[in-house]
Structure formats: structure tokens, C-alpha cells
């Protein structure tokens, strides 16, 4: 069955991590994604864990992509790129602002070749403003968005996430932006530029921080695993040394939890009727819930909460996720056959479509695996390819 995005051609020239992941998401649903790497290879190939010298992160973020090398800083590489752009729908790049223009590959030049092209520019700070040409990474966005300021224990330092949170949020947003631009193209007949700054999407997900400051002068503070909007809400250790998380965002759930742990008297307290007021009594509520949980193992706690229709979840690591029956039922973890590593498991596509489902055709390919195939489409002969390799334009 054809993917929902079959017929859409994407050129992914971006690195680390938002732009490439956005291209991955498009490829998961049938877009043809050509990954254009520097002849040295994409940096993510050597980023993080490896097996037998093969980057595992690359296997995921490079999936469903055809891998070719091309040095865009050379006149020969630029000429080839212009030919590729002629029949592309989307180009995703994350060079510093002005780089494409310096190479003669700015949107003005590319749109003359292909007026329907959507050029997606993913940078730390966007294409304009005083910070535009600064190096930008997700870590900086997590700091500047207010995320780090509200994360961590009240008496501890601001805390950064141990994974690419801002990059991931930006990738999701970028994929949405691409689809929005392609939909607009159906009406206008023309492509456009998507200016995506990594500092912005995570800020949107931070909730009402800005409006609360604007209207009330309130600055959100660090609360650890607690919430200023409800309680009990925390992580709690079970008798077998494992952990569970509890949320009581709904009043009815909060009442069920207190009945379950044998402390129904709290429900009659005037302050218990409001999540914000309950949060002011988090110490006593956490003591009541935590002491009850500490006397039982994790399976017993989960079973009791389920029977009481109260919200609880075990705190998982990767081994738990792979073994969990709910993730198994959803097919959340896919097994992919890879020529280099054999069968490998990774996160599956993001959502399920009933008529045009996405799929993982292949994991990230070796450097330049499809260079010859792609260049042949644009008339590059074997002799010309050898010359390009000799010049270091491709590998």
C-alpha cells in the first residue's frame, strides 16, 4: 500500500538533530528522502552509542532515507544540487543563515529553478535578529525557553533534559510546517520558506508561563516532581525498590487515590476541593500516599490503582518498554532488518493511519550508499562520478 506522502521528494541536508528527524518523520509515511551528507559523513553517525563502529542513533534518524554524499561548498556540488532541486518538493537545511546564499543556493536562486520548492530552514535562533548567526543547539533552547528554570528540585540548580527534547519538539513542528506549506502550495502553486527557530516550539509547549507573567507577574518555580496545580503528584518508591508515578489532575482521581490509601478524611478538608490548594498540602498528601506505596511491591500497587480507577504508571527504562504488553499491542517498537547489524529494534512510526499507514523500509544506510544511484538520475556518468570522487566532491 502506498504511503500517504508517496510522490513527495525531500532533500535532507541538515544535521544534529531537529531537521534530520523531521525528514525521518516524512519518510516514515512514504516521502522519498534523499540524505545529502558531507563526504566525511553526517556527525550523528559518530554521536552516542555504537556497535562494531556503526552509530546506532544514525540507524534510527537515517531510516527510510537514501544516503548520498555531496560537498555543497564546491562548484561541482552546487551544480549537482541545483539539478536535484529542480524536481524536489522540499529541501531541509540547518546551515547558519547566509551560508546557502554564499554558495549561490539561497531561496531566490532555488525558486527560480523550481518555484514550487519549499525550503525549510532550521536554526537555533531563526533567520533574523541579533542571535541569528550564533551556533544554536537544542540545549540552548531548553535553557532559553524557561524549561531548565522550572525543572529540578526547588533547592537544586536548573536542570537540562538528558536527551534532545527541544530538537525533538522542533522536528515534530517542522514536519507539521512542511505539510502546511505543501497544502498552501495546492492553492498558490508556489513554494515558500519555512523559518524554524529551535528556541520557539519548546516555548509553546511550556504552557501559560508567558501569559501568567504578563497578567499576574508570576514566575513559575521549580517544584521537582510535584506540581503547583494538583497533589498528590510525584514519584514514589515501592517495597521492591521500583518506582511509580501518580497524577491527580482530575478531582475525582484525587479522591479515589485517598480512599485507596486509607486516608479518606482528607477529602472532607476544605482545601482538598481545589488542585492548587491540594498542592499547598503536598507534604502531608505525599506522606499518606508514599507510605502506603512503600509497603507494597510495584505489581501490587499497579493492580490496586487499576481496580480503584486511579491514575498510575510504572517508571520504565528501555528494557521495561520493550517488554510492556501495551507497547507490544500498539507495535510501538519495531524490528528492522539491517544489512550491517542484522535485526535491530527501534521506535516505530509515530501514529497509525487506517488507510495509508507508514512503515520503516530500512534503517540508516552506510555513508554514500546511494550516491551513484541518485547521481545517475541527473545524468552523471561513471567517468564523471570517478572525477567527482577524486576531487572529494562525493565519496
Amino acid at each position: 500500500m502506498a504511503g500517504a506522502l508517496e510522490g513527495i521528494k525531500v532533500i535532507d541536508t541538515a544535521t544534529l538533530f531537529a531537521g534530520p528527524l523531521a525528514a525521518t518523520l516524512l519518510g516514515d509515511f512514504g516521502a522519498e528522502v534523499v540524505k545529502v551528507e558531507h563526504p566525511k559523513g553526517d556527525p550523528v553517525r559518530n554521536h552516542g552509542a555504537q556497535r562494531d563502529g556503526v552509530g546506532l542513533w544514525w540507524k534510527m534518524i537515517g531510516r527510510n532515507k537514501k544516503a548520498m554524499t555531496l560537498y555543497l561548498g564546491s562548484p561541482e556540488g552546487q551544480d549537482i544540487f541545483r539539478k536535484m532541486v529542480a524536481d524536489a518538493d522540499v529541501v531541509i537545511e540547518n546551515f547558519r543563515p547566509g551560508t546557502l546564499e554564499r554558495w549561490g543556493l539561497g531561496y531566490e536562486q532555488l525558486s527560480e529553478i523550481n518555484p514550487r520548492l519549499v525550503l525549510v530552514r532550521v536554526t537555533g535562533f531563526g533567520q533574523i535578529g541579533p542571535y541569528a548567526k550564533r551556533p544554536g543547539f537544542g540545549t540552548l533552547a531548553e535553557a532559553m525557553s524557561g524549561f531548565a528554570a522550572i525543572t529540578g528540585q526547588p533547592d537544586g540548580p536548573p536542570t537540562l533534559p538528558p536527551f534532545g527534547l527541544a530538537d525533538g519538539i522542533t522536528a515534530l513542528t517542522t514536519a507539521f510546517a512542511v505539510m502546511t506549506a505543501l497544502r498552501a502550495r495546492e492553492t498558490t502553486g508556489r513554494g515558500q520558506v519555512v523559518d524554524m527557530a529551535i528556541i520557539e516550539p519548546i516555548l509553546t509547549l511550556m504552557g501559560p508561563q508567558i501569559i501568567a507573567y504578563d497578567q499576574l507577574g508570576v514566575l513559575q518555580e521549580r517544584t521537582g516532581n510535584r506540581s503547583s496545580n494538583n497533589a498528590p503528584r510525584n514519584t514514589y518508591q515501592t517495597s521492591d525498590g521500583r518506582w511509580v508515578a501518580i497524577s491527580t489532575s482530575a478531582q475525582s482521581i484525587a479522591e479515589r487515590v485517598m480512599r485507596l490509601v486509607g486516608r479518606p478524611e482528607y477529602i472532607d478538608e476544605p482545601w482538598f476541593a481545589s488542585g492548587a490548594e491540594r498542592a499547598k498540602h503536598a507534604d502531608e498528601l505525599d506522606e499518606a500516599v508514599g507510605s502506603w506505596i512503600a509497603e507494597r511491591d510495584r505489581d501490587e500497587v499497579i493492580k490496586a490503582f487499576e481496580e480503584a480507577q486511579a491514575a498510575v504508571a510504572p517508571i520504565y527504562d528501555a528494557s521495561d518498554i520493550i517488554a510492556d504488553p501495551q507497547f507490544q499491542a500498539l507495535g510501538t517498537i519495531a524490528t528492522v532488518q539491517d544489512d550491517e547489524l542484522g535485526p535491530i529494534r527501534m521506535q516505530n512510526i509515530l501514529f497509525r493511519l487506517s488507510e495509508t499507514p507508514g512503515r520503516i523500509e530500512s534503517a540508516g544506510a552506510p555513508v554514500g550508499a546511494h550516491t551513484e544511484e541518485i547521481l545517475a538520475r541527473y545524468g552523471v556518468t561513471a567517468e564523471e562520478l570517478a572525477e567527482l570522487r577524486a576531487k572529494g566532491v562525493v565519496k
Side-chain angles (χ1 to χ4, degrees), residues 12-16 35-47 58 67-71 365-369 371 392-395:
D12 171 17
T13 70
T15 59
L16 300 174
K35 177 67 181 182
V36 175
E37 302 176 63
H38 190 283
K40 294 180 180 179
D42 190 295
V44 78
R45 291 181 180 274
N46 299 310
H47 200 92
W58 168 255
M68 68 169 290
T69 58
L70 189 65
Y71 177 44
V367 176
T371 298
V393 177
V394 301
K395 180 179 179 181

Side-chain angles (χ1 to χ4, degrees), residues 29 38 45 47 71 75 107 110 135 176 207 213 224 240 246 263 272 283 321 342 374 389 395:
F29 287 91
H38 190 283
R45 291 181 180 274
H47 200 92
Y71 177 44
Y107 185 69
L110 297 183
F176 170 62
Y213 176 71
D240 54 348
I246 291 173
R263 305 297 289 272
F272 196 85
D283 285 343
I321 293 167
I374 299 299
R389 283 178 170 152
K395 180 179 179 181

